[in-house]
């Protein structure tokens, strides 16, 4: 009997990762992510999966980012009652991210109803905070490098992917086939995360392609960030920095800490981390010392170089403070969360600055700001943008095209087949053609919903 994969998400787009592995009468889902970005993508979250959740026997997660885990509460709500296998770091982050995701969806629905700009009334949340809390007990933690059986007779092993805390690649062994899921791969030269481990031998590989068409600049986040912060400090402005609460927020805090130490940014420049999620995640770095490059002192310094803003009252109070100051706040692509209030408040003034810190999916406010748009729609109204826009090119938590190819090349033996996933159409196709030409491997970009052999 063959082993097939159906690409339920993460094909032709970076979001919605869901890879359904099918053999005999068993189904296993690798990743269970939300679609994010363009409205027509987000609407896909409302379309039922092609397989009933109760027919899925287990889920294995590569990491906790919502485009890999954020559909879990809905899967459970719709009848999935199997186990979800994940590393300890991923479980710890899911405890922070999933309830928050439910909360944001409830808030968005409520806000839309209150301001009556929802096209469909009443607007409903995809799932609630309570749905997310109900999902957490399904998660069972597994160790890196230790083989486990998510389904009797199926084996799986996690290896470190270096992307965020807990991030893994997954080797699945089913009926003699070895299938490797890269997950999101970090950079070998990341400021805070340890490099990805070399991949094991596999017959079939699914590789991410977020930056499949790009080479990261050789400059690092310190050399990019220093002049921007100097400029905004000098003119007494406010830098609003949309950050991914998990990963980028910590990298930036560490970078700011180093710049202050070196005297390249005034030590007196006030820094605020306005995201309870990012605050919790920052604290987790001290609990997971094996997975990142930071020493105990570095982890400690990182958690103390900013004022941690927890309550909404403290967050609101930031609007009446004067610059210069730096506000790091989620979400990283300005799709929701507290950063929207800061953007609405500060984007209009040319003394201020908006610093975009990583990949901005097409259709998100972050991408709109990055394109130089003079206004952006927030909470149903148009906000003028006069602030300086700075895009950090070096702050990505993803490997670039050469690093992705090097990772594939470091496999002990060439795989039979590579599926290029987790990328927009252009980057995915560019990586596919390089894999074919430079490595001589069979590579395809599977279409959304299509099924392929392993
Ligand atoms: Zn990720």
């Amino acid at each position: 009997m063959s082993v097939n994969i159906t690409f339920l998400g993460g094909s032709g787009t970076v979001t919605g990762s869901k890879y359904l592995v099918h053999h005999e009468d068993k189904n296993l889902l690798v990743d269970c992510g939300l679609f994010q970005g363009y409205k027509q993508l987000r609407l896909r979250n409302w379309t039922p999966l092609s397989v009933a959740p109760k027919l899925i026997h287990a889920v294995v997660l590569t990491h906790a980012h919502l485009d890999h885990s954020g559909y879990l509460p809905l899967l459970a709500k719709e009848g999935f009652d199997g186990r979800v296998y994940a590393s300890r770091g991923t479980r710890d982050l899911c405890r922070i991210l999933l309830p928050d995701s439910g909360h944001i969806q409830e808030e968005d629905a409520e806000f839309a109803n209150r301001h009556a700009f929802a096209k469909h009334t009443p607007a409903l949340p995809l799932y609630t905070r309570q749905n997310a809390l109900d999902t957490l007990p399904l998660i069972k933690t597994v160790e890196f490098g230790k083989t486990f059986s998510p389904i009797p007779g199926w084996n799986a092993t996690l290896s470190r992917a270096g992307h965020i805390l807990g991030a893994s690649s997954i080797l699945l062994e089913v009926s003699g086939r070895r299938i490797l899921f890269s997950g999101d791969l970090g950079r070998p030269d990341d400021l805070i995360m340890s490099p990805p481990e070399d991949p094991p031998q596999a017959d079939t590989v699914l590789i991410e392609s977020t930056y499949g068409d790009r080479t990261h600049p050789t400059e690092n986040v310190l050399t990019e960030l220093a002049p921007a912060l100097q400029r905004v400090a000098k003119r007494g402005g406010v830098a609003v920095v949309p950050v991914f609460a998990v990963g980028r927020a910590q990298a930036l805090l560490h970078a700011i800490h180093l710049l202050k130490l070196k005297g390249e940014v005034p030590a007196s420049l006030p820094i605020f981390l306005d995201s309870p999620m990012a605050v919790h995640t920052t604290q987790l770095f001290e609990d997971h010392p094996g997975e990142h490059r930071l020493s105990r002192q570095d982890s400690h310094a990182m958690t103390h170089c900013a004022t941690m803003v927890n309550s909404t009252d403290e967050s609101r109070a930031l609007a009446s403070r004067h610059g210069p100051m730096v506000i790091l706040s989620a979400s990283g692509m300005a799709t929701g969360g507290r950063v929207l209030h800061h953007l609405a408040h500060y984007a209009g003034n040319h003394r201020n600055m908006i610093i975009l810190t990583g990949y901005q999916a097409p259709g998100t406010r972050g991408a709109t700001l990055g394109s130089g748009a003079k206004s952006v729609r927030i909470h149903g109204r148009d906000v003028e943008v006069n602030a300086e826009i700075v895009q950090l090119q070096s702050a990505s938590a993803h490997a670039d095209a050469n690093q992705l190819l090097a990772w594939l090349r470091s496999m002990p033996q060439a795989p039979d087949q590579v599926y290029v996933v987790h990328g927009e159409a252009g980057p995915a196709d560019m990586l596919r053609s390089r894999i074919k030409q430079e490595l001589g491997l069979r590579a395809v970009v599977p279409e959304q919903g299509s099924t392929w052999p392993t």
Side-chain angles (χ1 to χ4, degrees), residues 406-427:
W407 184 83
L408 273 181
R409 211 180 265 125
S410 69
M411 291 181 72
Q413 262 174 281
D416 302 335
Q417 174 74 59
V418 178
Y419 295 114
V420 180
V421 297
H422 198 282
E424 298 303 316

Side-chain angles (χ1 to χ4, degrees), residues 63 65 67-68 163-164 184 398 422:
H63 66 292
H65 275 154
D67 58 325
H68 296 259
H163 168 62
I164 57 166
D184 287 5
H398 287 271
H422 198 282

